[in-house]
Amino acid sequence: MKRKIWKIQNAVCASVLSLLGFGGCGDNVGVDMYGTPHADYSIKGAVQTKEGKPIQGIKVSVTYETDTLGTALSDEKGTFAIQKEAFPYNKLKVSAEDIDGEKNGSYKDTSVDLEISQQDYKGGESWYNGKVEKEVNIRMEEKNHE
């Protein structure tokens, strides 16, 4: 009877340890790492008219397909900054949308594609790909008032 209980306890312990990732055989001495690749993004820049004048109150969004990394409003100098930790992407879209109506003029929505190469990732190791810093200047065209 004691031997049967010991076998059940041994089987339960071995099952729990194997579910936790521990093995009983082999020469695997290292530690297995589990995680998700990620990177830090710092996207900043300015929103301006075609003539180079700053535009305040423009909603700037950084996206990858349907995933939004962040949004910001341009300030009185037209500048914006978005910082976010996310999955490592090789292409982002920076979109500018006039959401304040006629307050600062009326501008057509515009977007800029942002290519990210492996060299853009700085200081990464293991699952952390590093930090990407990009500057984007967006020129917006005024809407025609008809």
Side-chain angles (χ1 to χ4, degrees):
M1 185 68 173
K2 285 184 181 183
R3 186 168 253 214
K4 194 173 192 177
I5 291 173
W6 180 79
K7 284 184 178 183
I8 292 172
Q9 287 176 337
N10 195 18
V12 169
C13 286
S15 297
V16 169
L17 289 173
S18 67
L19 287 173
L20 293 173
F22 295 97
C25 300
D27 293 342
N28 296 339
V29 180
V31 175
D32 290 334
M33 294 180 60
Y34 300 96
T36 302
H38 62 283
D40 290 320
Y41 294 91
S42 177
I43 313 296
K44 58 185 173 181
V47 181
Q48 303 170 332
T49 64
K50 291 283 184 184
E51 295 78 32
K53 295 180 182 175
I55 310 172
Q56 180 178 2
I58 299 295
K59 178 183 171 185
V60 179
S61 302
V62 177
T63 59
Y64 175 78
E65 293 179 0
T66 58
D67 185 22
T68 301
L69 271 67
T71 61
L73 286 177
S74 60
D75 63 15
E76 66 278 350
K77 296 178 184 174
T79 60
F80 67 90
I82 298 172
Q83 295 184 350
K84 176 76 174 182
E85 179 184 4
F87 189 83
Y89 298 114
N90 61 357
K91 189 173 189 176
L92 297 174
K93 182 174 283 211
V94 181
S95 304
E97 179 183 2
D98 187 358
I99 60 171
D100 67 358
E102 295 289 327
K103 187 174 179 183
N104 292 318
S106 187
Y107 298 92
K108 295 179 183 178
D109 295 348
T110 189
S111 63
V112 175
D113 289 332
L114 189 60
E115 298 286 333
I116 299 174
S117 69
Q118 203 56 39
Q119 289 78 24
D120 291 324
Y121 292 96
K122 306 293 183 206
E125 64 178 50
S126 186
W127 290 102
Y128 177 60
N129 281 33
K131 184 171 185 171
V132 175
E133 294 179 328
K134 290 283 189 174
E135 188 163 331
V136 180
N137 293 313
I138 301 171
R139 299 281 178 133
M140 296 185 77
E141 188 176 324
E142 268 194 272
K143 286 184 182 177
N144 294 331
H145 299 293
E146 299 169 4

